[in-house]
Amino acid sequence: MDSVYIFDGHNDAILSMVDYSAAGRDFLVRSENGHLDLPRAREGRMAGGLFAISAHPESEPEDDLTITFNGYEVRYAEALDPDNARRQIDGQVSAIKALVSRSNGQMRLATSVKDIRAALNASALAVVLHMEGAEAIDLDLSYLDTLYDHGLRSLGLVWSRPNIFGYGVPFAYPRSPDTGPGLTDAGKRLVKKCNDLGIMIDVSHLNERGFWDVAALSTAPLVATHACAHAICQSTRNLIDRQLDAIRDTDGVIGLNLAVNDVRPDANLDDDTPLEVVIRHIEYLVRRVGIDSVALGSDFDGAVMPREIRDASGLPRLIEAMRRAGFNETDLRKFALDNWLRVFGQTWKDR
């Protein structure tokens, strides 16, 4: 039996849960749809993950994708109404708590490293609340306190749209992540508030200038929960080498995003992406920043996965491919679990 347990830095499973949407899937029952549920998490030896809550527009813009001669551009998403965003987030928080309750101990809401370890020892899945995009938070930041009390321990300041705190990167390839202004004054206050509370700040989806604003202001390790290397795939969503270096220099973590269009050098949305392509991306990150700063941030239920992994049940195939590529057991445990636990311990107040 493989001794490697995996903590995943990002999934969007809550949006597909029946606890949130009547048309959704029962997370406690194995499905062939989507990427993540409790049975497949167990098959994949998952110890837990950052479960994203996120607000979305009532309708998506039409004709937002433009195919260029060598890539693509997606029209910038519109800012969300904060009241509507807050209603969605409230519903998602209630849903994940209801799911944890009806799991009868098979899932546990975790707000500390101690909680995650206790869940692992009890063979339960540790659920850490993460919010992707801060649209629901008001200017006085009082709703952040409310979310913290509900268990929120990780926050992405933006998704790929603007809000009152900063600017996300529009999806495009080949493009630089330097796509616009940095954080607003409110965004800078939000960074400080997160530091004060002990909420981890996620720079995924943030444009480059916003990234450097966070780097200059934050007293915590820099973290990208789900991102890849721009040197390999020149997507706006990926991090340039200077950003990778900055994360390493703060003892932070990059969670490798398994989205094929960010892993592949050609950015094609093709699930026929061999594991060797994923391994080469991991090897690049490790050469650049060291094994202590690389982990997993799959983006399950939010992106197209490589066919050989397919879903959470396929994660052991990724670990075995890393093993074949020469990563030793200490490296694998760091990538799979230990690096996340370290950075949580350095960031959260309730360690």
Side-chain angles (χ1 to χ4, degrees), residues 8-17 25 27 33-37 40 50-54 56 60 72 130 132 159-160 171 205 226-227 237 256-262 269 297-306 310-312:
D8 182 21
H10 186 88
N11 74 72
D12 291 305
I14 184 150
L15 297 177
S16 302
M17 292 178 182
R25 309 189 304 269
F27 193 82
N33 297 321
H35 303 131
L36 181 61
D37 49 48
R40 285 184 286 180
L50 290 176
F51 282 68
I53 52 178
S54 57
H56 296 266
E60 297 293 342
Y72 65 86
H130 165 80
E132 186 173 38
W159 186 72
S160 290
F171 296 102
H205 288 280
H226 56 306
R237 273 280 286 113
L256 176 83
N257 184 4
L258 293 177
V260 295
N261 52 303
D262 286 329
L269 199 65
S298 72
D299 209 1
F300 283 146
D301 285 325
V304 175
M305 296 289 112
R310 184 182 176 186
D311 58 27

Short mmCIF file of all heavy atoms in Angstrom, two decimals, residues 8-17 25 27 33-37 40 50-54 56 60 72 130 132 159-160 171 205 226-227 237 256-262 269 297-306 310-312:
data_model
loop_
_atom_site.label_atom_id
_atom_site.label_comp_id
_atom_site.label_asym_id
_atom_site.label_seq_id
_atom_site.Cartn_x
_atom_site.Cartn_y
_atom_site.Cartn_z
N ASP A 8 -4.95 18.41 -1.49
CA ASP A 8 -5.11 19.12 -2.76
C ASP A 8 -5.40 20.60 -2.51
O ASP A 8 -6.32 20.95 -1.76
CB ASP A 8 -6.27 18.48 -3.54
CG ASP A 8 -6.48 19.11 -4.90
OD1 ASP A 8 -5.54 19.73 -5.42
OD2 ASP A 8 -7.59 18.97 -5.44
N GLY A 9 -4.63 21.46 -3.16
CA GLY A 9 -4.73 22.89 -2.90
C GLY A 9 -5.90 23.61 -3.52
O GLY A 9 -6.14 24.79 -3.20
N HIS A 10 -6.69 22.95 -4.40
CA HIS A 10 -7.84 23.65 -4.97
C HIS A 10 -8.80 22.70 -5.65
O HIS A 10 -8.40 21.87 -6.47
CB HIS A 10 -7.40 24.70 -6.00
CG HIS A 10 -8.55 25.55 -6.49
ND1 HIS A 10 -8.95 26.69 -5.85
CD2 HIS A 10 -9.40 25.39 -7.52
CE1 HIS A 10 -9.99 27.21 -6.49
NE2 HIS A 10 -10.28 26.43 -7.50
N ASN A 11 -10.10 22.82 -5.32
CA ASN A 11 -11.14 22.19 -6.10
C ASN A 11 -12.39 23.07 -6.10
O ASN A 11 -12.56 23.91 -5.21
CB ASN A 11 -11.46 20.77 -5.60
CG ASN A 11 -12.24 20.77 -4.30
OD1 ASN A 11 -13.43 21.10 -4.27
ND2 ASN A 11 -11.60 20.38 -3.21
N ASP A 12 -13.23 22.87 -7.09
CA ASP A 12 -14.48 23.62 -7.23
C ASP A 12 -15.70 22.72 -7.04
O ASP A 12 -16.77 22.97 -7.57
CB ASP A 12 -14.56 24.28 -8.62
CG ASP A 12 -13.54 25.39 -8.79
OD1 ASP A 12 -13.54 26.32 -7.97
OD2 ASP A 12 -12.75 25.33 -9.74
N ALA A 13 -15.53 21.66 -6.24
CA ALA A 13 -16.57 20.65 -6.13
C ALA A 13 -17.87 21.16 -5.54
O ALA A 13 -18.95 20.66 -5.86
CB ALA A 13 -16.06 19.47 -5.29
N ILE A 14 -17.80 22.18 -4.68
CA ILE A 14 -19.02 22.62 -4.00
C ILE A 14 -20.10 23.07 -4.97
O ILE A 14 -21.30 22.88 -4.72
CB ILE A 14 -18.73 23.72 -2.98
CG1 ILE A 14 -20.01 24.07 -2.23
CG2 ILE A 14 -18.17 24.97 -3.65
CD1 ILE A 14 -19.86 24.54 -0.87
N LEU A 15 -19.71 23.64 -6.11
CA LEU A 15 -20.70 24.13 -7.06
C LEU A 15 -21.50 23.00 -7.69
O LEU A 15 -22.59 23.22 -8.23
CB LEU A 15 -20.01 24.96 -8.15
CG LEU A 15 -19.30 26.22 -7.67
CD1 LEU A 15 -18.59 26.90 -8.82
CD2 LEU A 15 -20.27 27.17 -6.99
N SER A 16 -20.97 21.77 -7.61
CA SER A 16 -21.63 20.61 -8.20
C SER A 16 -22.31 19.73 -7.14
O SER A 16 -22.80 18.64 -7.46
CB SER A 16 -20.62 19.76 -8.98
OG SER A 16 -20.00 20.52 -10.00
N MET A 17 -22.32 20.17 -5.88
CA MET A 17 -22.88 19.36 -4.81
C MET A 17 -24.39 19.53 -4.71
O MET A 17 -24.91 20.65 -4.79
CB MET A 17 -22.25 19.74 -3.47
CG MET A 17 -20.79 19.38 -3.33
SD MET A 17 -20.13 19.94 -1.74
CE MET A 17 -18.42 19.43 -1.89
N ARG A 25 -24.58 16.67 -7.69
CA ARG A 25 -24.26 15.29 -7.33
C ARG A 25 -24.17 15.16 -5.82
O ARG A 25 -23.82 16.11 -5.12
CB ARG A 25 -22.92 14.86 -7.94
CG ARG A 25 -22.78 15.12 -9.43
CD ARG A 25 -21.52 14.47 -9.99
NE ARG A 25 -20.30 14.86 -9.31
CZ ARG A 25 -19.53 15.89 -9.66
NH1 ARG A 25 -19.88 16.65 -10.69
NH2 ARG A 25 -18.43 16.16 -9.01
N PHE A 27 -22.11 14.24 -2.96
CA PHE A 27 -20.67 14.09 -2.77
C PHE A 27 -20.31 12.80 -2.04
O PHE A 27 -19.19 12.32 -2.15
CB PHE A 27 -20.13 15.30 -1.98
CG PHE A 27 -18.63 15.41 -1.98
CD1 PHE A 27 -17.95 16.00 -3.04
CD2 PHE A 27 -17.89 14.93 -0.91
CE1 PHE A 27 -16.56 16.10 -3.04
CE2 PHE A 27 -16.50 15.03 -0.90
CZ PHE A 27 -15.84 15.62 -1.98
N ASN A 33 -19.38 11.33 -13.12
CA ASN A 33 -19.39 12.71 -13.61
C ASN A 33 -18.44 13.56 -12.77
O ASN A 33 -18.26 13.32 -11.57
CB ASN A 33 -20.80 13.30 -13.54
CG ASN A 33 -21.76 12.56 -14.44
OD1 ASN A 33 -21.40 12.16 -15.55
ND2 ASN A 33 -22.99 12.37 -13.98
N GLY A 34 -17.89 14.59 -13.39
CA GLY A 34 -17.00 15.48 -12.66
C GLY A 34 -15.74 14.76 -12.21
O GLY A 34 -15.37 13.70 -12.73
N HIS A 35 -15.07 15.32 -11.20
CA HIS A 35 -13.77 14.82 -10.79
C HIS A 35 -13.67 14.38 -9.34
O HIS A 35 -12.75 13.63 -9.00
CB HIS A 35 -12.69 15.90 -11.01
CG HIS A 35 -12.60 16.41 -12.40
ND1 HIS A 35 -12.58 17.75 -12.70
CD2 HIS A 35 -12.54 15.75 -13.58
CE1 HIS A 35 -12.50 17.90 -14.01
NE2 HIS A 35 -12.49 16.71 -14.57
N LEU A 36 -14.57 14.86 -8.49
CA LEU A 36 -14.33 14.67 -7.06
C LEU A 36 -15.61 14.35 -6.31
O LEU A 36 -16.62 15.04 -6.45
CB LEU A 36 -13.68 15.95 -6.48
CG LEU A 36 -13.32 15.92 -5.00
CD1 LEU A 36 -12.29 14.83 -4.69
CD2 LEU A 36 -12.77 17.29 -4.57
N ASP A 37 -15.55 13.30 -5.52
CA ASP A 37 -16.54 12.98 -4.51
C ASP A 37 -15.80 12.17 -3.45
O ASP A 37 -14.62 11.84 -3.61
CB ASP A 37 -17.74 12.22 -5.09
CG ASP A 37 -17.35 11.05 -5.97
OD1 ASP A 37 -16.49 10.24 -5.54
OD2 ASP A 37 -17.87 10.94 -7.10
N ARG A 40 -14.21 8.72 -4.55
CA ARG A 40 -13.04 8.89 -5.41
C ARG A 40 -11.89 9.55 -4.67
O ARG A 40 -10.71 9.28 -4.96
CB ARG A 40 -13.42 9.66 -6.67
CG ARG A 40 -14.22 8.82 -7.66
CD ARG A 40 -14.52 9.55 -8.95
NE ARG A 40 -15.56 10.57 -8.77
CZ ARG A 40 -16.01 11.35 -9.73
NH1 ARG A 40 -15.49 11.26 -10.96
NH2 ARG A 40 -16.97 12.23 -9.51
N LEU A 50 -8.41 22.17 -0.12
CA LEU A 50 -9.03 23.50 -0.07
C LEU A 50 -10.26 23.45 -0.96
O LEU A 50 -10.15 23.30 -2.18
CB LEU A 50 -8.06 24.57 -0.54
CG LEU A 50 -6.86 24.87 0.37
CD1 LEU A 50 -5.96 25.90 -0.30
CD2 LEU A 50 -7.30 25.38 1.73
N PHE A 51 -11.44 23.57 -0.36
CA PHE A 51 -12.70 23.54 -1.08
C PHE A 51 -13.13 24.98 -1.33
O PHE A 51 -13.38 25.74 -0.40
CB PHE A 51 -13.76 22.80 -0.26
CG PHE A 51 -13.64 21.30 -0.33
CD1 PHE A 51 -12.56 20.65 0.27
CD2 PHE A 51 -14.60 20.55 -0.98
CE1 PHE A 51 -12.45 19.26 0.21
CE2 PHE A 51 -14.50 19.17 -1.04
CZ PHE A 51 -13.42 18.52 -0.44
N ALA A 52 -13.22 25.35 -2.61
CA ALA A 52 -13.47 26.74 -2.98
C ALA A 52 -14.95 27.07 -2.94
O ALA A 52 -15.78 26.34 -3.48
CB ALA A 52 -12.90 27.02 -4.36
N ILE A 53 -15.28 28.19 -2.31
CA ILE A 53 -16.58 28.81 -2.47
C ILE A 53 -16.36 30.02 -3.36
O ILE A 53 -15.36 30.73 -3.25
CB ILE A 53 -17.20 29.22 -1.10
CG1 ILE A 53 -16.23 30.06 -0.27
CG2 ILE A 53 -17.60 27.97 -0.32
CD1 ILE A 53 -16.78 30.52 1.06
N SER A 54 -17.28 30.24 -4.30
CA SER A 54 -17.07 31.31 -5.28
C SER A 54 -18.39 31.75 -5.86
O SER A 54 -19.31 30.94 -6.04
CB SER A 54 -16.14 30.83 -6.41
OG SER A 54 -16.67 29.68 -7.04
N HIS A 56 -20.67 33.61 -8.94
CA HIS A 56 -20.66 33.62 -10.39
C HIS A 56 -21.80 34.48 -10.92
O HIS A 56 -22.82 34.65 -10.25
CB HIS A 56 -20.78 32.19 -10.94
CG HIS A 56 -19.62 31.32 -10.58
ND1 HIS A 56 -18.54 31.15 -11.41
CD2 HIS A 56 -19.34 30.62 -9.45
CE1 HIS A 56 -17.65 30.37 -10.83
NE2 HIS A 56 -18.11 30.03 -9.63
N GLU A 60 -23.52 33.93 -18.23
CA GLU A 60 -22.18 34.16 -18.78
C GLU A 60 -22.28 35.01 -20.05
O GLU A 60 -23.26 34.92 -20.79
CB GLU A 60 -21.50 32.83 -19.10
CG GLU A 60 -21.26 31.96 -17.88
CD GLU A 60 -20.24 32.53 -16.91
OE1 GLU A 60 -19.46 33.42 -17.33
OE2 GLU A 60 -20.22 32.10 -15.75
N TYR A 72 -5.51 32.12 -27.99
CA TYR A 72 -6.88 32.49 -27.70
C TYR A 72 -6.91 33.67 -26.74
O TYR A 72 -5.93 33.97 -26.04
CB TYR A 72 -7.66 31.31 -27.08
CG TYR A 72 -7.12 30.89 -25.72
CD1 TYR A 72 -7.54 31.50 -24.55
CD2 TYR A 72 -6.17 29.86 -25.61
CE1 TYR A 72 -7.03 31.14 -23.32
CE2 TYR A 72 -5.66 29.49 -24.39
CZ TYR A 72 -6.09 30.12 -23.24
OH TYR A 72 -5.58 29.76 -22.03
N HIS A 130 -11.94 27.73 1.40
CA HIS A 130 -11.21 28.72 0.62
C HIS A 130 -12.23 29.53 -0.17
O HIS A 130 -13.23 28.97 -0.64
CB HIS A 130 -10.25 28.01 -0.34
CG HIS A 130 -9.69 28.88 -1.43
ND1 HIS A 130 -8.65 29.75 -1.22
CD2 HIS A 130 -10.04 29.01 -2.74
CE1 HIS A 130 -8.37 30.38 -2.37
NE2 HIS A 130 -9.21 29.95 -3.30
N GLU A 132 -12.65 31.89 -3.56
CA GLU A 132 -11.99 32.28 -4.81
C GLU A 132 -12.67 33.53 -5.35
O GLU A 132 -13.73 33.47 -5.94
CB GLU A 132 -12.06 31.13 -5.82
CG GLU A 132 -11.26 31.39 -7.09
CD GLU A 132 -11.22 30.18 -7.99
OE1 GLU A 132 -12.24 29.47 -8.10
OE2 GLU A 132 -10.16 29.95 -8.59
N TRP A 159 -10.93 36.51 -8.82
CA TRP A 159 -10.97 35.51 -9.88
C TRP A 159 -10.56 36.28 -11.13
O TRP A 159 -10.02 37.40 -11.03
CB TRP A 159 -12.35 34.86 -9.98
CG TRP A 159 -12.39 33.72 -10.95
CD1 TRP A 159 -11.84 32.47 -10.78
CD2 TRP A 159 -12.99 33.73 -12.26
NE1 TRP A 159 -12.07 31.70 -11.90
CE2 TRP A 159 -12.78 32.44 -12.82
CE3 TRP A 159 -13.70 34.67 -12.99
CZ2 TRP A 159 -13.23 32.09 -14.10
CZ3 TRP A 159 -14.15 34.33 -14.25
CH2 TRP A 159 -13.92 33.05 -14.78
N SER A 160 -10.80 35.77 -12.32
CA SER A 160 -10.34 36.46 -13.53
C SER A 160 -11.34 37.54 -13.97
O SER A 160 -11.79 37.58 -15.11
CB SER A 160 -10.10 35.44 -14.64
OG SER A 160 -8.96 34.67 -14.35
N PHE A 171 -8.32 35.32 -19.26
CA PHE A 171 -7.71 34.12 -19.82
C PHE A 171 -7.21 34.41 -21.24
O PHE A 171 -7.99 34.82 -22.11
CB PHE A 171 -8.72 32.98 -19.86
CG PHE A 171 -9.18 32.55 -18.50
CD1 PHE A 171 -10.41 32.95 -18.01
CD2 PHE A 171 -8.39 31.74 -17.70
CE1 PHE A 171 -10.85 32.56 -16.76
CE2 PHE A 171 -8.83 31.34 -16.44
CZ PHE A 171 -10.06 31.76 -15.97
N HIS A 205 -4.97 33.66 -10.15
CA HIS A 205 -5.90 34.53 -10.89
C HIS A 205 -5.58 36.01 -10.75
O HIS A 205 -6.21 36.84 -11.41
CB HIS A 205 -7.35 34.29 -10.47
CG HIS A 205 -7.93 32.99 -10.93
ND1 HIS A 205 -8.39 32.81 -12.21
CD2 HIS A 205 -8.10 31.81 -10.29
CE1 HIS A 205 -8.85 31.56 -12.34
NE2 HIS A 205 -8.67 30.93 -11.19
N HIS A 226 -3.30 27.18 -7.16
CA HIS A 226 -3.42 26.40 -8.40
C HIS A 226 -2.89 27.24 -9.56
O HIS A 226 -3.57 28.10 -10.08
CB HIS A 226 -4.84 25.92 -8.64
CG HIS A 226 -5.90 26.97 -8.68
ND1 HIS A 226 -6.09 27.90 -7.68
CD2 HIS A 226 -6.86 27.26 -9.62
CE1 HIS A 226 -7.10 28.70 -7.99
NE2 HIS A 226 -7.57 28.34 -9.17
N ALA A 227 -1.66 26.97 -9.94
CA ALA A 227 -0.98 27.73 -11.00
C ALA A 227 0.13 26.88 -11.59
O ALA A 227 0.51 25.86 -11.02
CB ALA A 227 -0.42 29.04 -10.44
N ARG A 237 -2.62 32.93 -16.83
CA ARG A 237 -2.87 32.33 -15.52
C ARG A 237 -1.61 31.79 -14.87
O ARG A 237 -1.61 31.46 -13.68
CB ARG A 237 -3.89 31.20 -15.67
CG ARG A 237 -5.32 31.62 -15.58
CD ARG A 237 -5.76 31.82 -14.13
NE ARG A 237 -5.93 30.52 -13.47
CZ ARG A 237 -5.17 30.09 -12.49
NH1 ARG A 237 -4.18 30.81 -12.02
NH2 ARG A 237 -5.40 28.89 -11.95
N LEU A 256 0.54 22.94 -8.09
CA LEU A 256 0.49 22.65 -9.52
C LEU A 256 -0.95 22.45 -9.97
O LEU A 256 -1.65 21.56 -9.49
CB LEU A 256 1.29 21.40 -9.86
CG LEU A 256 1.20 21.00 -11.33
CD1 LEU A 256 2.20 21.78 -12.16
CD2 LEU A 256 1.40 19.50 -11.52
N ASN A 257 -1.38 23.29 -10.92
CA ASN A 257 -2.70 23.20 -11.51
C ASN A 257 -2.68 22.14 -12.61
O ASN A 257 -1.88 22.22 -13.53
CB ASN A 257 -3.06 24.58 -12.09
CG ASN A 257 -4.45 24.65 -12.66
OD1 ASN A 257 -5.22 23.72 -12.57
ND2 ASN A 257 -4.77 25.80 -13.24
N LEU A 258 -3.57 21.15 -12.52
CA LEU A 258 -3.59 20.08 -13.52
C LEU A 258 -4.38 20.44 -14.78
O LEU A 258 -4.48 19.61 -15.69
CB LEU A 258 -4.17 18.80 -12.91
CG LEU A 258 -3.33 18.13 -11.82
CD1 LEU A 258 -4.07 16.92 -11.25
CD2 LEU A 258 -1.96 17.72 -12.35
N ALA A 259 -4.93 21.64 -14.84
CA ALA A 259 -5.68 22.07 -16.03
C ALA A 259 -4.79 21.93 -17.26
O ALA A 259 -3.72 22.54 -17.35
CB ALA A 259 -6.14 23.51 -15.88
N VAL A 260 -5.23 21.13 -18.23
CA VAL A 260 -4.36 20.80 -19.36
C VAL A 260 -3.95 22.04 -20.15
O VAL A 260 -2.84 22.11 -20.68
CB VAL A 260 -5.01 19.77 -20.29
CG1 VAL A 260 -5.19 18.44 -19.58
CG2 VAL A 260 -6.34 20.27 -20.85
N ASN A 261 -4.83 23.04 -20.23
CA ASN A 261 -4.51 24.23 -21.02
C ASN A 261 -3.50 25.14 -20.33
O ASN A 261 -3.00 26.09 -20.94
CB ASN A 261 -5.78 25.03 -21.34
CG ASN A 261 -6.60 25.34 -20.12
OD1 ASN A 261 -7.01 24.43 -19.39
ND2 ASN A 261 -6.88 26.61 -19.88
N ASP A 262 -3.16 24.87 -19.08
CA ASP A 262 -2.10 25.60 -18.40
C ASP A 262 -0.84 24.76 -18.22
O ASP A 262 0.24 25.29 -17.98
CB ASP A 262 -2.58 26.11 -17.04
CG ASP A 262 -3.52 27.29 -17.17
OD1 ASP A 262 -3.37 28.07 -18.13
OD2 ASP A 262 -4.42 27.45 -16.31
N LEU A 269 -6.72 22.67 -25.16
CA LEU A 269 -7.70 22.12 -24.23
C LEU A 269 -7.96 20.66 -24.62
O LEU A 269 -9.03 20.32 -25.11
CB LEU A 269 -8.98 22.95 -24.28
CG LEU A 269 -9.94 22.82 -23.10
CD1 LEU A 269 -9.30 23.35 -21.83
CD2 LEU A 269 -11.23 23.58 -23.39
N GLY A 297 -2.32 21.48 -6.68
CA GLY A 297 -3.54 22.30 -6.64
C GLY A 297 -4.38 21.96 -7.85
O GLY A 297 -4.42 22.70 -8.83
N SER A 298 -5.06 20.84 -7.83
CA SER A 298 -5.57 20.18 -9.04
C SER A 298 -6.52 21.02 -9.89
O SER A 298 -6.50 20.95 -11.11
CB SER A 298 -6.29 18.89 -8.65
OG SER A 298 -7.53 19.18 -8.01
N ASP A 299 -7.41 21.78 -9.25
CA ASP A 299 -8.54 22.44 -9.93
C ASP A 299 -9.59 21.43 -10.37
O ASP A 299 -10.28 21.62 -11.38
CB ASP A 299 -8.07 23.28 -11.13
CG ASP A 299 -8.99 24.48 -11.39
OD1 ASP A 299 -9.97 24.66 -10.64
OD2 ASP A 299 -8.74 25.23 -12.35
N PHE A 300 -9.75 20.35 -9.59
CA PHE A 300 -10.81 19.39 -9.87
C PHE A 300 -12.17 20.08 -9.92
O PHE A 300 -12.46 20.98 -9.13
CB PHE A 300 -10.85 18.30 -8.79
CG PHE A 300 -9.78 17.26 -8.90
CD1 PHE A 300 -9.23 16.69 -7.76
CD2 PHE A 300 -9.33 16.81 -10.14
CE1 PHE A 300 -8.25 15.71 -7.85
CE2 PHE A 300 -8.35 15.84 -10.24
CZ PHE A 300 -7.81 15.29 -9.09
N ASP A 301 -13.00 19.65 -10.83
CA ASP A 301 -14.34 20.18 -11.08
C ASP A 301 -14.33 21.63 -11.56
O ASP A 301 -15.38 22.28 -11.56
CB ASP A 301 -15.25 20.03 -9.84
CG ASP A 301 -15.71 18.60 -9.66
OD1 ASP A 301 -15.95 17.92 -10.67
OD2 ASP A 301 -15.84 18.15 -8.50
N GLY A 302 -13.15 22.10 -11.99
CA GLY A 302 -13.08 23.45 -12.52
C GLY A 302 -12.27 23.55 -13.79
O GLY A 302 -12.08 24.66 -14.32
N ALA A 303 -11.77 22.41 -14.31
CA ALA A 303 -10.89 22.44 -15.48
C ALA A 303 -10.89 21.08 -16.14
O ALA A 303 -11.43 20.10 -15.60
CB ALA A 303 -9.46 22.84 -15.07
N VAL A 304 -10.26 21.00 -17.32
CA VAL A 304 -10.10 19.73 -18.02
C VAL A 304 -8.83 19.05 -17.51
O VAL A 304 -7.75 19.65 -17.50
CB VAL A 304 -10.01 19.95 -19.55
CG1 VAL A 304 -9.71 18.64 -20.27
CG2 VAL A 304 -11.30 20.57 -20.06
N MET A 305 -8.96 17.81 -17.06
CA MET A 305 -7.86 17.05 -16.49
C MET A 305 -7.18 16.16 -17.54
O MET A 305 -7.83 15.73 -18.51
CB MET A 305 -8.37 16.15 -15.37
CG MET A 305 -8.96 16.86 -14.18
SD MET A 305 -7.70 17.71 -13.19
CE MET A 305 -8.16 19.43 -13.51
N PRO A 306 -5.91 15.85 -17.35
CA PRO A 306 -5.27 14.85 -18.22
C PRO A 306 -6.01 13.52 -18.13
O PRO A 306 -6.38 13.08 -17.03
CB PRO A 306 -3.85 14.74 -17.65
CG PRO A 306 -3.62 16.04 -16.94
CD PRO A 306 -4.96 16.42 -16.39
N ARG A 310 -7.67 11.74 -14.95
CA ARG A 310 -9.12 11.78 -15.11
C ARG A 310 -9.84 12.43 -13.95
O ARG A 310 -10.61 13.37 -14.13
CB ARG A 310 -9.70 10.37 -15.33
CG ARG A 310 -11.20 10.39 -15.60
CD ARG A 310 -11.78 9.02 -15.76
NE ARG A 310 -13.23 9.08 -15.92
CZ ARG A 310 -14.02 8.04 -15.96
NH1 ARG A 310 -13.52 6.82 -15.85
NH2 ARG A 310 -15.33 8.19 -16.10
N ASP A 311 -9.64 11.94 -12.73
CA ASP A 311 -10.35 12.47 -11.58
C ASP A 311 -9.54 12.17 -10.33
O ASP A 311 -8.39 11.69 -10.41
CB ASP A 311 -11.78 11.92 -11.50
CG ASP A 311 -11.85 10.40 -11.43
OD1 ASP A 311 -10.89 9.78 -10.95
OD2 ASP A 311 -12.86 9.83 -11.88
N ALA A 312 -10.12 12.42 -9.15
CA ALA A 312 -9.37 12.26 -7.91
C ALA A 312 -8.86 10.84 -7.71
O ALA A 312 -7.80 10.62 -7.11
CB ALA A 312 -10.24 12.68 -6.72
#
